[in-house]
Amino acid sequence: AMGSMERLSARTVANEPGRLCDGKGLWLQISKWKSKSWLCQYTSPTTGAIRQYGLGSLDTVSLAKARKVAA
């Protein structure tokens, strides 16, 4: 697993199912079917629960755009 301070590059190629962390709550999720999508994970300020929401497919949302949205 990558540390929370490590960042992905636009050329990161991963084909194993799982998640890669870009830092600041941004994750690249890779399904067992090799589809890749962005997730943003955060802690709810009211309940303290960990929440996440999808930002879209890697095919349609660039790393730069995903970082802007997650920030």
Side-chain angles (χ1 to χ4, degrees):
M2 297 176 74
S4 62
M5 297 305 292
E6 293 184 48
R7 309 263 301 189
L8 300 174
S9 75
R11 292 178 292 188
T12 297
V13 176
N15 289 308
E16 292 302 312
R19 290 184 181 173
L20 298 174
C21 183
D22 185 56
K24 299 183 181 176
L26 180 62
W27 294 81
L28 179 62
Q29 178 171 274
I30 304 160
S31 76
K32 64 183 177 181
W33 299 282
K34 309 293 187 233
S35 64
K36 298 173 185 174
S37 59
W38 295 110
L39 289 176
C40 187
Q41 185 170 299
Y42 66 98
T43 303
S44 169
T46 53
T47 65
I50 294 174
R51 304 273 187 225
Q52 54 186 264
Y53 58 92
L55 302 178
S57 166
L58 179 62
D59 294 335
T60 57
V61 179
S62 70
L63 174 58
K65 178 160 179 133
R67 282 180 177 157
K68 284 181 187 174
V69 174

